[in-house]
Amino acid sequence: MSPSPSAATVEFDHVSKRYPGATEPAIRELTFEVPAGEVCILIGPSGCGKTTAMRLVNRMTDLTSGDVRVDGVSVMDRPPAELRRSMGYAIQQIGLFPHLTVADNIATVPKLLGWDAARIRSRTAELLELVGLEPSMGTRYPAQLSGGQRQRIGVARALAADPPLLLMDEPFGAIDPITRGRLQEEFRKLQQDLGKTVIFVTHDIDEALKLGDHIAVMKPGGVLAQYATPEELVRSPADEFVEEFVGVDRMVARLEWLLAVRRQGQEQDA
Ligand code: ADP
């Protein structure tokens, strides 16, 4: 994947986070670097600190010690609002505004940035096409869309202001495995064209192996178990935890996929 000139480098440098009142840190001494233009997947069991790690980057949560740098500048030296406008953010719950049309949802950040109406209109049309939706979708409301369509709008909105960095928290979660597979495939193609830096949280190892340039496997306690390419992870897992996580989870994901295919077959037969 060729790094786009508008991609950012992200460094986690011995970063720890302890929530107020918690006895244990949610993340401990996390250190790894995401090169510009790469997709970095954060994966691990529930509660191991994936979402926390991602939210430190746009300061939805503030770190306790260590540092996170974007293009060499500490996030702590940038005002949170400005930082958030400079990054795309797509989350599982999608967070579309129900009372706004699809077009207005996509235009959220461009409006905050003060783009003029004509530029916003043409960018919205371009993004609908980019994520594979009809231009007529722009006038609909989120409730009138399918789950898969809403996910696409979430991705379009995250891309709206052409940010160098995208944060995606289970963006394809909560949709059926077949639509999910299609969205993953489209995301891969889109990323090949756009070459953004992406930090992507998932708990699905198949998704991680399919989409990641590097994968950060986290274990309970917010500790980094391994940071490696998909191939390295499968060939040389750092320890038993990674070995088991990569193996067992792959089987579960396969099984879910197979069951979904069978269900769909039964529906078609009925
Ligand atoms: P994951 O995304 O891997 O499921 P999280 O980052 O959501 O993990 O959570 C990591 C740990 O931090 C968990 O123990 C969770 O209970 C705790 N945690 C997450 N958010 C908060 C919060 N806002 N306040 C206190 N504890 C939190």
Side-chain angles (χ1 to χ4, degrees):
M1 207 153 303
S2 56
S4 124
S6 63
T9 305
V10 183
E11 295 160 79
F12 285 80
D13 182 2
H14 297 88
V15 64
S16 298
K17 167 68 184 180
R18 186 195 296 267
Y19 285 103
T23 49
E24 296 294 326
I27 283 178
R28 290 166 214 250
E29 298 274 330
L30 204 56
T31 297
F32 60 90
E33 184 175 329
V34 187
E38 278 204 6
V39 177
C40 165
I41 308 276
L42 300 179
I43 194 166
S46 183
C48 67
K50 306 181 289 293
T51 297
T52 300
M54 165 169 288
R55 288 161 64 98
L56 297 178
V57 180
N58 66 359
R59 293 191 62 185
M60 301 284 280
T61 297
D62 275 342
L63 55 86
T64 308
S65 61
D67 206 359
V68 176
R69 287 183 288 271
V70 177
D71 279 339
V73 178
S74 171
V75 294
M76 300 310 282
D77 289 339
R78 295 177 63 183
E82 181 265 327
L83 194 66
R84 279 172 218 153
R85 281 198 298 271
S86 75
M87 299 173 189
Y89 187 47
I91 55 176
Q92 179 181 339
Q93 300 80 357
I94 308 155
L96 297 180
F97 302 112
H99 59 289
L100 295 183
T101 63
V102 162
D104 284 338
N105 265 287
I106 294 176
T108 309
V109 173
K111 276 187 187 155
L112 285 171
L113 293 172
W115 291 17
D116 66 52
R119 186 173 172 205
I120 289 179
R121 253 198 318 278
S122 82
R123 181 64 179 155
T124 306
E126 184 180 52
L127 283 161
L128 283 170
E129 193 188 336
L130 196 68
V131 298
L133 294 174
E134 293 294 318
S136 61
M137 286 278 171
T139 56
R140 298 215 192 155
Y141 287 87
Q144 299 171 294
L145 307 177
S146 71
Q149 287 168 335
R150 283 202 288 268
Q151 300 279 358
R152 287 163 199 250
I153 302 300
V155 172
R157 186 174 63 176
L159 287 168
D162 200 20
L165 173 60
L166 289 181
L167 305 179
M168 306 180 93
D169 195 347
E170 304 238 19
F172 309 137
I175 42 176
D176 69 90
I178 292 167
T179 309
R180 188 181 173 112
R182 204 176 303 139
L183 287 178
Q184 287 166 346
E185 200 44 47
E186 287 171 12
F187 171 79
R188 235 173 39 82
K189 287 195 195 124
L190 193 67
Q191 174 56 12
Q192 266 163 6
D193 290 344
L194 299 181
K196 304 268 178 209
T197 308
V198 182
I199 299 182
F200 191 116
V201 168
T202 183
H203 62 266
D204 172 354
I205 186 75
D206 268 7
E207 181 164 86
L209 294 170
K210 208 188 284 181
L211 302 181
D213 294 304
H214 274 88
I215 301 174
V217 183
M218 294 177 65
K219 31 182 172 186
V223 177
L224 182 66
Q226 188 167 8
Y227 184 63
T229 64
E231 196 182 352
E232 284 163 353
L233 209 62
V234 173
R235 279 178 196 263
S236 5
D239 59 17
E240 273 180 25
F241 173 84
V242 176
E243 195 174 327
E244 190 162 318
F245 189 77
V246 171
V248 173
D249 231 60
R250 279 176 73 72
M251 304 237 295
V252 172
R254 287 251 163 71
L255 188 64
E256 277 173 6
W257 186 80
L258 270 174
L259 290 173
V261 170
R262 283 171 59 163
R263 264 200 306 276
Q264 206 176 54
Q266 281 160 2
E267 279 162 19
Q268 277 163 5
D269 293 345

